[in-house]
Amino acid sequence: MSGTTALLGKGWRAGTERLDAVILRFATRKHRLIGTALLRVVIGFATILYCLSDYSKRRFLWGPESYNSISTARSALPRWGFSLFLWEHSTVWFEIVFHAVILVSAGFMIFGGVSSPWRRPC
């Protein structure tokens, strides 16, 4: 029985060493930058898709006259959470913020990976 345990230990160790090598290979700067860029594009696209999926029903779903009251929406936020949508209870404010979300998401998706001119290269 001790031989089986010793064999399993060697196999386990070899497997973890291979896993470490694969993780180190993908942890290089090049792979991290590609992964971060893809994640940025996916998050931006998903946000835009979420906003545009029910664009014609946006006031009913998220606007000031939605099926949830402002007090219900505020109580659903975490203790220190905030929402720009709840700063003012007007249709004009809602439309400004809603369309700003779409524009900021598109900007994040397209220009989010551009490095700042003040940032030092690594």
Side-chain angles (χ1 to χ4, degrees), residues 63-65 70 85-91 93:
E65 292 85 26
I70 291 290
F85 288 100
L86 299 177
W87 276 10
E88 190 174 326
H89 188 67
S90 73
T91 304
W93 177 254

Side-chain angles (χ1 to χ4, degrees), residues 95-108:
E95 292 293 333
I96 290 170
V97 174
F98 186 82
H99 289 93
V101 166
I102 295 171
L103 291 175
V104 168
S105 296
F108 177 70

Side-chain angles (χ1 to χ4, degrees), residues 39-41 43-44 103-113:
L39 183 64
R40 175 180 47 84
V41 169
I43 289 173
L103 291 175
V104 168
S105 296
F108 177 70
M109 187 173 71
I110 296 168
F111 303 110

Side-chain angles (χ1 to χ4, degrees), residues 41-94:
V41 169
V42 167
I43 289 173
F45 183 72
T47 304
I48 292 170
L49 191 63
Y50 182 74
C51 288
L52 296 180
S53 64
D54 289 316
Y55 187 79
S56 62
K57 300 178 210 165
R58 67 187 178 278
R59 290 187 187 127
F60 172 72
L61 294 172
W62 304 297
E65 292 85 26
S66 68
Y67 62 94
N68 276 338
S69 66
I70 291 290
S71 60
T72 304
R74 284 193 177 124
S75 66
L77 289 174
R79 182 176 179 183
W80 297 105
F82 74 96
S83 173
L84 292 176
F85 288 100
L86 299 177
W87 276 10
E88 190 174 326
H89 188 67
S90 73
T91 304
V92 173
W93 177 254
F94 167 75

